[in-house]
Amino acid sequence: MVVEISDIETVAVIGSGQMGRGIAAVAALAGYETYVNDIDESQLEEANERIEWSYEKSVENGAATESEVDDALERLSFTTDLEEAVGDAEFVTEAAVEQQSVKKDIFEDLDEAAPEDALLATNTSGLNITQLAETTDRPEQVVGTHWFNPPMLMELVEVIMTEHTPDGVADTAEALIESFDKTPIRCKIDIPSFIVNRLMRPYGEGPAWLVHRGEHSIEEIDSAMKYMERFPMGPFELADFTGGIQIRVEGEEDHLEDGRPMSYDTTVCPILHQLYDKGRYGRKADAGYYDYDERDEPQIAVDAGQGFDTLLVWAPIVNEAAKMVENDVASVEDIDTGARLGGNWPMGPLEKADEVGADVILEKLTEVASRHEDTNKLAETLPCDLLVEKATNGETFY
């Protein structure tokens, strides 16, 4: 029997770090009895303090009343005892460190401790959810939920299905997310990076190749995408802010060995390896694509990107979005919603395709692909069949 939204009264969150405590704060504020579990008592104490602080900010900002916050705090419980945390929970979400082996161990424990009919979720930005599901005796009750940081403020949550996940379980997970006053989008196949981060990859990777080949400068591209296209950050500024250089390089081997559908088979752009080898990981290291020293933000001239063709960046992103539609990973609407809410982009990539025309995107994408000497990279960048079809027939995505 599939748990339905009407059955859920208690939520358990495993892991009290930044994401776990944020999810717990949202759940309790939405009216659910909420348990937060961690093996570290001091981590739980800090989580409690941080949740109280975030609630105070919510009251100050008018997002919640003092009465709602008081009630939410009454619904929160913190414990190092896993069985106490999950014993009465209908929905359990793991929010531990982003390491497959750690999450696998937790899921084995959850399978033993959680009620037989409880749904189990993992908060991950791209790890293999199918493997986690298969460590349990209830793979059909496991679903992915990729929250964005910080959970209290970010509206989007990706709900990821595996081959074992029935529609009813995904429906329940989405209904729960909606009851949290968040917006779910559905990733119907467990692919590496899911939806939003899959779009982010060409946003960072494509420009890196343009710089690596000496065709354009970092500031030129960042200025164009930030001030002309109205992205919150240019691709290089964003990579420095998120630690993208370190994440991409250190995750390269895992991506190449990932056997899920639509797995990557191309290596990271050499410029990332060069920066990584110098310890230039981004803002946290005081140097990445930019030097920071005493500055928190790079100095990017507003007019530095004048004349840069922003479709050189947009076209590979549109292609990646079209591949997801072609392979029934996600709907057109969910992909664009993910870009707007998860990335704070000015528009979704498929909206952009309709704006400029699929034929224009196709022409630009072919130009981009032809610049790659590596056969695998060339193949990855070539336009997918659906994009060619849209261009040939003069069709739009909407």
Side-chain angles (χ1 to χ4, degrees), residues 224-244:
M225 298 310 294
K226 184 172 184 176
Y227 300 117
M228 291 166 54
E229 292 296 318
R230 303 299 179 186
F231 279 71
M233 294 184 185
F236 302 104
E237 181 185 10
L238 179 64
D240 279 359
F241 180 77
T242 61

Side-chain angles (χ1 to χ4, degrees), residues 71-351:
D71 289 344
L73 289 171
E74 286 292 322
R75 287 189 285 266
L76 275 165
S77 299
F78 300 84
T79 178
T80 57
D81 188 324
L82 182 64
E83 292 186 359
E84 178 186 357
V86 305
D88 295 323
E90 292 85 21
F91 189 89
V92 181
T93 184
E94 164 274 321
V97 64
E98 190 79 344
Q99 293 179 15
Q100 190 82 25
S101 60
V102 173
K103 292 179 182 289
K104 179 176 178 292
D105 289 343
I106 291 174
F107 264 77
E108 289 175 349
D109 292 339
L110 289 178
D111 194 36
E112 291 290 330
E116 290 184 0
D117 59 347
L119 299 188
L120 307 181
T122 176
N123 175 57
T124 173
S125 59
L127 293 181
N128 194 317
I129 299 171
T130 303
Q131 285 185 359
L132 297 180
E134 291 174 352
T135 66
T136 73
D137 290 329
R138 59 178 100 185
E140 72 284 352
Q141 293 166 232
V142 175
V143 67
T145 51
H146 174 210
W147 290 70
F148 290 75
N149 193 28
M152 281 285 288
L153 299 180
M154 293 296 284
E155 182 180 343
L156 187 75
V157 180
E158 291 179 320
V159 173
I160 305 99
M161 302 173 67
T162 75
E163 62 188 75
H164 306 293
T165 312
D167 288 335
V169 168
D171 291 342
T172 297
E174 288 190 356
L176 182 65
I177 297 303
E178 289 173 345
S179 76
F180 292 161
D181 199 25
K182 303 294 180 181
T183 300
I185 59 173
R186 185 174 300 197
C187 187
K188 293 180 278 188
I189 303 175
D190 180 17
I191 62 172
S193 302
F194 313 139
I195 299 172
V196 176
N197 284 343
R198 190 139 192 128
L199 300 176
M200 289 293 185
R201 185 175 187 265
Y203 184 61
E205 185 83 357
W209 280 100
L210 295 176
V211 172
H212 175 68
R213 291 194 296 260
E215 297 168 359
H216 298 279
S217 71
I218 290 171
E219 185 179 15
E220 179 186 10
I221 297 171
D222 269 0
S223 177
M225 298 310 294
K226 184 172 184 176
Y227 300 117
M228 291 166 54
E229 292 296 318
R230 303 299 179 186
F231 279 71
M233 294 184 185
F236 302 104
E237 181 185 10
L238 179 64
D240 279 359
F241 180 77
T242 61
I245 294 169
Q246 185 175 13
I247 292 170
R248 290 283 290 114
V249 172
E250 292 182 357
E252 180 178 35
E253 186 174 344
D254 286 340
H255 276 301
L256 292 174
E257 294 177 353
D258 196 321
R260 285 177 290 175
M262 297 180 67
S263 59
Y264 304 115
D265 61 359
T266 56
T267 56
V268 173
C269 180
I271 194 173
L272 276 78
H273 279 283
Q274 294 163 11
L275 293 169
Y276 180 84
D277 291 343
K278 296 176 182 178
R280 297 178 66 100
Y281 302 149
R283 278 169 55 169
K284 67 178 181 180
D286 294 328
Y289 286 108
Y290 295 94
D291 290 309
Y292 292 90
D293 299 324
E294 298 178 0
R295 292 186 287 110
D296 288 333
E297 297 182 4
Q299 301 298 310
I300 303 171
V302 174
D303 61 352
Q306 296 295 323
F308 175 73
D309 184 358
T310 58
L311 288 182
L312 291 172
V313 178
W314 269 115
I317 301 170
V318 171
N319 193 40
E320 194 61 48
K323 288 179 185 177
M324 286 191 274
V325 175
E326 179 178 282
N327 289 280
D328 197 30
V329 171
S331 68
V332 169
E333 294 79 8
D334 276 0
I335 291 169
D336 281 351
T337 296
R340 291 194 307 271
L341 298 184
N344 291 319
W345 287 9
M347 65 171 59
L350 300 174
E351 291 176 295

